[in-house]
Amino acid sequence: MSASDTPSELASSAEHSRPPRREFKARGSFVIRCEGCNLPKLNCLCPYKVSVESYAQVWLLTHSLEHLKPTNTGRLIGDVLNETRVFTWARTALDPKLEALLKDARYAPFLIFPDDQPDYADRVVGMDAVHAVKACDRIPVYVILDGTWRQARRMFRKSPYLDGLPILPLRTERETRYRLRKPASKAHLCTAEVATELLRQGGDIEAANVLDDYFDVFNESYAASRFYRKIDEPTPAMERLLAKRADI
């Protein structure tokens, strides 16, 4: 290298001598996934997908980041309940389809959220309100904020178009079985578990049982795939779903 080289020439030379940076790969991007269920093909979920009817409906208001996560359990609800609706949350813009549904007298939407703050205590109702609207031939709807607990609380506070909805807190002794993310508390159920408990308490027992089994299969299959382990022997939940599919 010549002593007459300028600093800029030296920098340019150094840049050209460096090996190219490796292409950025997102975590798990090398995994071969099923196009149908988005799970690793090693333990595909598709053979266990069963659709059932329910009187109540579930509408998911999903944080945009959740759409990108294969570990999101909200999509399991749509696999089981055909009438499930999914909307992407936005702070200022209300989806016109959601706006129309909120005004539709056929539906009685309940916003699922804890009753742990006094400023909205006047909006809190119990499961008896769900049974009451069913008796009036209206369709109860569980509006679930689909995101992390921190995201859900922000969505709750920043969505003025939801301010008129009654708030239905989920009361259950169930602890989460979700193995793919670490919850802050065992009482913090994932989205699919919340929907399962609401369906069960609202009287949609078959739908609740099928969704519960489907969640179990998803939970076990995804966890096993993380360790490159194939599930060879069907679990009890798998066997029940296979039997349900055979009956259809």
Side-chain angles (χ1 to χ4, degrees), residues 121-168:
D122 58 316
R123 297 168 57 194
V124 175
V125 299
M127 189 55 69
D128 56 329
V130 173
H131 295 294
V133 298
K134 287 173 66 175
C136 296
D137 291 328
R138 297 180 70 198
I139 301 171
V141 177
Y142 306 123
V143 180
I144 301 177
L145 304 177
D146 185 21
T148 65
W149 276 94
R150 183 176 181 178
Q151 289 168 345
R153 289 192 177 277
R154 182 170 183 268
M155 292 159 70
F156 177 80
R157 294 293 183 184
K158 301 292 185 178
S159 305
Y161 48 86
L162 300 178
D163 288 349
L165 298 185
I167 295 173
L168 177 64

Short mmCIF file of all heavy atoms in Angstrom, two decimals, residues 121-168:
data_model
loop_
_atom_site.label_atom_id
_atom_site.label_comp_id
_atom_site.label_asym_id
_atom_site.label_seq_id
_atom_site.Cartn_x
_atom_site.Cartn_y
_atom_site.Cartn_z
N ALA A 121 -66.32 0.61 35.16
CA ALA A 121 -67.08 -0.36 35.94
C ALA A 121 -68.55 -0.40 35.54
O ALA A 121 -69.21 -1.45 35.65
CB ALA A 121 -66.95 -0.04 37.44
N ASP A 122 -69.08 0.73 35.07
CA ASP A 122 -70.50 0.78 34.69
C ASP A 122 -70.80 -0.02 33.43
O ASP A 122 -71.96 -0.29 33.12
CB ASP A 122 -70.93 2.23 34.50
CG ASP A 122 -70.11 2.94 33.43
OD1 ASP A 122 -68.86 2.79 33.43
OD2 ASP A 122 -70.69 3.65 32.59
N ARG A 123 -69.77 -0.42 32.71
CA ARG A 123 -69.96 -1.19 31.46
C ARG A 123 -69.81 -2.69 31.66
O ARG A 123 -70.06 -3.47 30.74
CB ARG A 123 -68.94 -0.72 30.41
CG ARG A 123 -69.10 0.72 29.98
CD ARG A 123 -67.88 1.19 29.18
NE ARG A 123 -67.63 0.36 28.01
CZ ARG A 123 -66.48 0.41 27.30
NH1 ARG A 123 -65.52 1.24 27.69
NH2 ARG A 123 -66.32 -0.36 26.24
N VAL A 124 -69.37 -3.10 32.83
CA VAL A 124 -69.06 -4.51 33.07
C VAL A 124 -70.33 -5.33 33.25
O VAL A 124 -71.23 -4.95 34.00
CB VAL A 124 -68.14 -4.67 34.30
CG1 VAL A 124 -67.91 -6.15 34.63
CG2 VAL A 124 -66.80 -3.97 34.05
N VAL A 125 -70.38 -6.47 32.55
CA VAL A 125 -71.51 -7.40 32.67
C VAL A 125 -70.97 -8.81 32.92
O VAL A 125 -69.76 -9.04 32.83
CB VAL A 125 -72.38 -7.40 31.39
CG1 VAL A 125 -72.97 -6.02 31.13
CG2 VAL A 125 -71.56 -7.86 30.18
N GLY A 126 -71.88 -9.72 33.23
CA GLY A 126 -71.50 -11.10 33.46
C GLY A 126 -72.02 -12.00 32.35
O GLY A 126 -72.71 -11.56 31.42
N MET A 127 -71.73 -13.29 32.45
CA MET A 127 -72.15 -14.24 31.43
C MET A 127 -73.68 -14.34 31.34
O MET A 127 -74.21 -14.75 30.30
CB MET A 127 -71.54 -15.61 31.74
CG MET A 127 -71.72 -16.66 30.65
SD MET A 127 -71.11 -16.18 29.00
CE MET A 127 -69.33 -16.17 29.27
N ASP A 128 -74.38 -13.92 32.40
CA ASP A 128 -75.85 -13.92 32.33
C ASP A 128 -76.36 -13.00 31.23
O ASP A 128 -77.42 -13.24 30.64
CB ASP A 128 -76.45 -13.53 33.68
CG ASP A 128 -75.95 -12.17 34.18
OD1 ASP A 128 -74.79 -11.82 33.87
OD2 ASP A 128 -76.70 -11.48 34.88
N ALA A 129 -75.59 -11.95 30.91
CA ALA A 129 -75.98 -11.04 29.83
C ALA A 129 -75.91 -11.75 28.48
O ALA A 129 -76.71 -11.48 27.58
CB ALA A 129 -75.06 -9.81 29.82
N VAL A 130 -74.97 -12.67 28.32
CA VAL A 130 -74.86 -13.45 27.09
C VAL A 130 -76.08 -14.35 26.93
O VAL A 130 -76.69 -14.43 25.86
CB VAL A 130 -73.57 -14.29 27.08
CG1 VAL A 130 -73.53 -15.23 25.88
CG2 VAL A 130 -72.34 -13.38 27.10
N HIS A 131 -76.46 -15.02 28.01
CA HIS A 131 -77.63 -15.90 27.95
C HIS A 131 -78.91 -15.08 27.71
O HIS A 131 -79.84 -15.56 27.04
CB HIS A 131 -77.74 -16.69 29.25
CG HIS A 131 -76.61 -17.65 29.45
ND1 HIS A 131 -76.40 -18.75 28.63
CD2 HIS A 131 -75.60 -17.68 30.37
CE1 HIS A 131 -75.34 -19.41 29.05
NE2 HIS A 131 -74.83 -18.78 30.09
N ALA A 132 -78.94 -13.86 28.21
CA ALA A 132 -80.13 -13.01 28.03
C ALA A 132 -80.32 -12.63 26.57
O ALA A 132 -81.43 -12.64 26.05
CB ALA A 132 -80.01 -11.77 28.90
N VAL A 133 -79.23 -12.28 25.87
CA VAL A 133 -79.37 -11.90 24.46
C VAL A 133 -79.70 -13.12 23.59
O VAL A 133 -80.42 -13.00 22.59
CB VAL A 133 -78.12 -11.17 23.93
CG1 VAL A 133 -77.88 -9.89 24.69
CG2 VAL A 133 -76.89 -12.06 23.96
N LYS A 134 -79.22 -14.29 24.00
CA LYS A 134 -79.58 -15.51 23.27
C LYS A 134 -81.08 -15.76 23.39
O LYS A 134 -81.73 -16.18 22.42
CB LYS A 134 -78.79 -16.70 23.81
CG LYS A 134 -77.33 -16.70 23.44
CD LYS A 134 -76.56 -17.81 24.13
CE LYS A 134 -77.00 -19.18 23.69
NZ LYS A 134 -76.15 -20.25 24.29
N ALA A 135 -81.64 -15.49 24.57
CA ALA A 135 -83.07 -15.68 24.78
C ALA A 135 -83.90 -14.72 23.93
O ALA A 135 -85.07 -14.99 23.65
CB ALA A 135 -83.41 -15.49 26.26
N CYS A 136 -83.28 -13.61 23.50
CA CYS A 136 -83.97 -12.63 22.65
C CYS A 136 -83.67 -12.87 21.17
O CYS A 136 -83.92 -12.00 20.33
CB CYS A 136 -83.55 -11.22 23.04
SG CYS A 136 -84.02 -10.74 24.71
N ASP A 137 -83.12 -14.04 20.86
CA ASP A 137 -82.80 -14.43 19.49
C ASP A 137 -81.78 -13.51 18.82
O ASP A 137 -81.79 -13.34 17.60
CB ASP A 137 -84.07 -14.49 18.62
CG ASP A 137 -84.99 -15.65 19.03
OD1 ASP A 137 -84.45 -16.68 19.47
OD2 ASP A 137 -86.21 -15.50 18.90
N ARG A 138 -80.90 -12.92 19.62
CA ARG A 138 -79.78 -12.18 19.07
C ARG A 138 -78.53 -13.05 19.18
O ARG A 138 -78.48 -13.98 19.98
CB ARG A 138 -79.58 -10.85 19.80
CG ARG A 138 -80.75 -9.90 19.66
CD ARG A 138 -80.47 -8.61 20.40
NE ARG A 138 -79.41 -7.82 19.76
CZ ARG A 138 -78.74 -6.85 20.38
NH1 ARG A 138 -78.98 -6.58 21.66
NH2 ARG A 138 -77.82 -6.16 19.74
N ILE A 139 -77.54 -12.75 18.37
CA ILE A 139 -76.32 -13.55 18.33
C ILE A 139 -75.26 -12.89 19.21
O ILE A 139 -74.80 -11.78 18.90
CB ILE A 139 -75.79 -13.67 16.89
CG1 ILE A 139 -76.83 -14.32 15.99
CG2 ILE A 139 -74.48 -14.46 16.86
CD1 ILE A 139 -76.49 -14.29 14.51
N PRO A 140 -74.87 -13.54 20.30
CA PRO A 140 -73.80 -12.96 21.12
C PRO A 140 -72.47 -13.05 20.39
O PRO A 140 -72.18 -14.04 19.71
CB PRO A 140 -73.80 -13.82 22.38
CG PRO A 140 -74.44 -15.10 21.98
CD PRO A 140 -75.38 -14.80 20.87
N VAL A 141 -71.67 -12.00 20.51
CA VAL A 141 -70.37 -11.95 19.85
C VAL A 141 -69.31 -11.62 20.89
O VAL A 141 -69.45 -10.65 21.65
CB VAL A 141 -70.35 -10.89 18.74
CG1 VAL A 141 -68.96 -10.81 18.11
CG2 VAL A 141 -71.39 -11.19 17.67
N TYR A 142 -68.26 -12.42 20.92
CA TYR A 142 -67.13 -12.16 21.79
C TYR A 142 -66.07 -11.41 20.98
O TYR A 142 -65.45 -11.96 20.07
CB TYR A 142 -66.55 -13.46 22.34
CG TYR A 142 -67.58 -14.34 23.02
CD1 TYR A 142 -67.81 -15.65 22.60
CD2 TYR A 142 -68.34 -13.85 24.09
CE1 TYR A 142 -68.75 -16.45 23.23
CE2 TYR A 142 -69.29 -14.64 24.72
CZ TYR A 142 -69.48 -15.94 24.28
OH TYR A 142 -70.43 -16.74 24.90
N VAL A 143 -65.88 -10.14 21.29
CA VAL A 143 -64.87 -9.32 20.62
C VAL A 143 -63.59 -9.42 21.43
O VAL A 143 -63.51 -8.92 22.56
CB VAL A 143 -65.32 -7.85 20.51
CG1 VAL A 143 -64.25 -7.02 19.79
CG2 VAL A 143 -66.66 -7.76 19.77
N ILE A 144 -62.60 -10.11 20.87
CA ILE A 144 -61.36 -10.38 21.59
C ILE A 144 -60.23 -9.54 21.00
O ILE A 144 -60.03 -9.52 19.78
CB ILE A 144 -61.00 -11.88 21.51
CG1 ILE A 144 -62.12 -12.72 22.11
CG2 ILE A 144 -59.69 -12.15 22.23
CD1 ILE A 144 -61.88 -14.22 22.02
N LEU A 145 -59.50 -8.86 21.86
CA LEU A 145 -58.32 -8.09 21.45
C LEU A 145 -57.15 -9.05 21.35
O LEU A 145 -56.65 -9.56 22.36
CB LEU A 145 -58.04 -6.98 22.46
CG LEU A 145 -59.20 -6.01 22.72
CD1 LEU A 145 -58.82 -5.00 23.80
CD2 LEU A 145 -59.61 -5.30 21.44
N ASP A 146 -56.73 -9.32 20.14
CA ASP A 146 -55.75 -10.36 19.87
C ASP A 146 -54.35 -9.76 19.79
O ASP A 146 -53.95 -9.19 18.78
CB ASP A 146 -56.11 -11.07 18.55
CG ASP A 146 -55.21 -12.25 18.26
OD1 ASP A 146 -54.58 -12.76 19.19
OD2 ASP A 146 -55.14 -12.65 17.07
N GLY A 147 -53.61 -9.90 20.89
CA GLY A 147 -52.25 -9.38 20.97
C GLY A 147 -51.67 -9.74 22.33
O GLY A 147 -52.29 -10.48 23.10
N THR A 148 -50.49 -9.25 22.63
CA THR A 148 -49.95 -9.45 23.96
C THR A 148 -50.79 -8.66 24.96
O THR A 148 -51.60 -7.80 24.57
CB THR A 148 -48.49 -8.94 24.03
OG1 THR A 148 -48.48 -7.52 23.83
CG2 THR A 148 -47.63 -9.61 22.97
N TRP A 149 -50.61 -8.93 26.24
CA TRP A 149 -51.39 -8.21 27.25
C TRP A 149 -51.12 -6.71 27.17
O TRP A 149 -52.01 -5.89 27.30
CB TRP A 149 -51.08 -8.74 28.64
CG TRP A 149 -51.88 -9.96 28.96
CD1 TRP A 149 -51.51 -11.26 28.79
CD2 TRP A 149 -53.22 -10.00 29.48
NE1 TRP A 149 -52.54 -12.10 29.16
CE2 TRP A 149 -53.59 -11.35 29.59
CE3 TRP A 149 -54.13 -9.01 29.86
CZ2 TRP A 149 -54.83 -11.75 30.07
CZ3 TRP A 149 -55.37 -9.40 30.34
CH2 TRP A 149 -55.71 -10.75 30.44
N ARG A 150 -49.86 -6.35 26.95
CA ARG A 150 -49.52 -4.93 26.83
C ARG A 150 -50.20 -4.31 25.62
O ARG A 150 -50.75 -3.20 25.69
CB ARG A 150 -48.00 -4.78 26.74
CG ARG A 150 -47.53 -3.33 26.69
CD ARG A 150 -46.02 -3.26 26.71
NE ARG A 150 -45.55 -1.88 26.69
CZ ARG A 150 -44.27 -1.53 26.72
NH1 ARG A 150 -43.33 -2.46 26.79
NH2 ARG A 150 -43.93 -0.26 26.69
N GLN A 151 -50.17 -5.02 24.50
CA GLN A 151 -50.82 -4.52 23.28
C GLN A 151 -52.33 -4.41 23.48
O GLN A 151 -52.96 -3.43 23.07
CB GLN A 151 -50.50 -5.44 22.11
CG GLN A 151 -49.07 -5.37 21.62
CD GLN A 151 -48.72 -6.50 20.68
OE1 GLN A 151 -49.44 -7.50 20.58
NE2 GLN A 151 -47.61 -6.37 19.97
N ALA A 152 -52.91 -5.43 24.12
CA ALA A 152 -54.36 -5.44 24.31
C ALA A 152 -54.82 -4.27 25.17
O ALA A 152 -55.86 -3.65 24.89
CB ALA A 152 -54.79 -6.76 24.95
N ARG A 153 -54.07 -3.95 26.19
CA ARG A 153 -54.45 -2.81 27.04
C ARG A 153 -54.35 -1.50 26.26
O ARG A 153 -55.19 -0.60 26.43
CB ARG A 153 -53.57 -2.77 28.29
CG ARG A 153 -53.89 -3.90 29.27
CD ARG A 153 -53.24 -3.70 30.61
NE ARG A 153 -53.64 -4.76 31.53
CZ ARG A 153 -54.77 -4.78 32.23
NH1 ARG A 153 -55.63 -3.76 32.11
NH2 ARG A 153 -55.06 -5.77 33.05
N ARG A 154 -53.36 -1.39 25.42
CA ARG A 154 -53.25 -0.18 24.59
C ARG A 154 -54.40 -0.13 23.59
O ARG A 154 -55.00 0.93 23.37
CB ARG A 154 -51.91 -0.16 23.86
CG ARG A 154 -51.72 1.09 23.01
CD ARG A 154 -50.29 1.18 22.49
NE ARG A 154 -50.10 2.43 21.75
CZ ARG A 154 -50.28 2.56 20.44
NH1 ARG A 154 -50.65 1.51 19.72
NH2 ARG A 154 -50.08 3.72 19.85
N MET A 155 -54.74 -1.25 22.99
CA MET A 155 -55.83 -1.31 22.04
C MET A 155 -57.15 -0.92 22.71
O MET A 155 -57.98 -0.22 22.14
CB MET A 155 -55.93 -2.72 21.44
CG MET A 155 -54.74 -3.07 20.54
SD MET A 155 -54.52 -4.86 20.31
CE MET A 155 -55.93 -5.27 19.30
N PHE A 156 -57.33 -1.38 23.94
CA PHE A 156 -58.54 -1.06 24.69
C PHE A 156 -58.66 0.44 24.92
O PHE A 156 -59.74 1.03 24.73
CB PHE A 156 -58.52 -1.80 26.02
CG PHE A 156 -59.68 -1.51 26.91
CD1 PHE A 156 -60.91 -2.13 26.70
CD2 PHE A 156 -59.57 -0.61 27.97
CE1 PHE A 156 -61.99 -1.85 27.52
CE2 PHE A 156 -60.64 -0.33 28.79
CZ PHE A 156 -61.86 -0.96 28.57
N ARG A 157 -57.56 1.06 25.30
CA ARG A 157 -57.59 2.49 25.64
C ARG A 157 -57.61 3.39 24.41
O ARG A 157 -58.07 4.53 24.47
CB ARG A 157 -56.37 2.84 26.49
CG ARG A 157 -56.36 2.19 27.88
CD ARG A 157 -57.47 2.73 28.74
NE ARG A 157 -57.44 2.18 30.10
CZ ARG A 157 -58.35 2.45 31.02
NH1 ARG A 157 -59.38 3.26 30.74
NH2 ARG A 157 -58.27 1.91 32.23
N LYS A 158 -57.13 2.89 23.29
CA LYS A 158 -56.97 3.73 22.10
C LYS A 158 -58.00 3.41 21.02
O LYS A 158 -57.78 3.76 19.85
CB LYS A 158 -55.56 3.53 21.53
CG LYS A 158 -54.42 3.88 22.47
CD LYS A 158 -54.36 5.37 22.76
CE LYS A 158 -53.15 5.72 23.62
NZ LYS A 158 -53.05 7.18 23.87
N SER A 159 -59.10 2.78 21.37
CA SER A 159 -60.12 2.43 20.38
C SER A 159 -61.46 3.02 20.79
O SER A 159 -62.32 2.32 21.35
CB SER A 159 -60.23 0.91 20.25
OG SER A 159 -58.99 0.32 19.96
N PRO A 160 -61.69 4.30 20.53
CA PRO A 160 -62.93 4.95 20.98
C PRO A 160 -64.18 4.32 20.38
O PRO A 160 -65.26 4.43 20.96
CB PRO A 160 -62.75 6.40 20.52
CG PRO A 160 -61.71 6.36 19.45
CD PRO A 160 -60.79 5.25 19.83
N TYR A 161 -64.07 3.66 19.25
CA TYR A 161 -65.24 3.04 18.63
C TYR A 161 -65.72 1.81 19.40
O TYR A 161 -66.77 1.27 19.09
CB TYR A 161 -64.94 2.67 17.17
CG TYR A 161 -63.63 1.93 16.95
CD1 TYR A 161 -63.55 0.55 17.07
CD2 TYR A 161 -62.49 2.63 16.59
CE1 TYR A 161 -62.37 -0.12 16.87
CE2 TYR A 161 -61.29 1.96 16.38
CZ TYR A 161 -61.23 0.59 16.52
OH TYR A 161 -60.04 -0.08 16.31
N LEU A 162 -64.95 1.38 20.41
CA LEU A 162 -65.38 0.27 21.24
C LEU A 162 -65.96 0.74 22.57
O LEU A 162 -66.39 -0.09 23.38
CB LEU A 162 -64.19 -0.67 21.52
CG LEU A 162 -63.52 -1.32 20.30
CD1 LEU A 162 -62.34 -2.16 20.75
CD2 LEU A 162 -64.51 -2.17 19.52
N ASP A 163 -65.98 2.04 22.79
CA ASP A 163 -66.39 2.58 24.09
C ASP A 163 -67.84 2.27 24.45
O ASP A 163 -68.20 2.27 25.63
CB ASP A 163 -66.17 4.09 24.14
CG ASP A 163 -64.70 4.47 24.22
OD1 ASP A 163 -63.88 3.55 24.45
OD2 ASP A 163 -64.37 5.66 24.03
N GLY A 164 -68.68 2.02 23.47
CA GLY A 164 -70.08 1.75 23.77
C GLY A 164 -70.41 0.30 24.02
O GLY A 164 -71.56 -0.02 24.35
N LEU A 165 -69.42 -0.58 23.92
CA LEU A 165 -69.68 -2.01 24.09
C LEU A 165 -69.65 -2.41 25.56
O LEU A 165 -68.80 -1.92 26.32
CB LEU A 165 -68.65 -2.84 23.33
CG LEU A 165 -68.58 -2.67 21.81
CD1 LEU A 165 -67.58 -3.67 21.23
CD2 LEU A 165 -69.96 -2.87 21.19
N PRO A 166 -70.53 -3.31 25.97
CA PRO A 166 -70.42 -3.86 27.33
C PRO A 166 -69.15 -4.69 27.45
O PRO A 166 -68.71 -5.32 26.48
CB PRO A 166 -71.67 -4.74 27.46
CG PRO A 166 -72.07 -5.06 26.06
CD PRO A 166 -71.66 -3.89 25.22
N ILE A 167 -68.56 -4.65 28.62
CA ILE A 167 -67.30 -5.36 28.86
C ILE A 167 -67.60 -6.65 29.62
O ILE A 167 -68.21 -6.64 30.69
CB ILE A 167 -66.32 -4.48 29.65
CG1 ILE A 167 -65.91 -3.27 28.80
CG2 ILE A 167 -65.09 -5.28 30.08
CD1 ILE A 167 -65.09 -2.26 29.55
N LEU A 168 -67.15 -7.75 29.05
CA LEU A 168 -67.36 -9.06 29.66
C LEU A 168 -66.00 -9.61 30.09
O LEU A 168 -65.20 -10.05 29.27
CB LEU A 168 -68.02 -10.01 28.65
CG LEU A 168 -68.24 -11.45 29.11
CD1 LEU A 168 -69.23 -11.50 30.27
CD2 LEU A 168 -68.73 -12.31 27.94
#
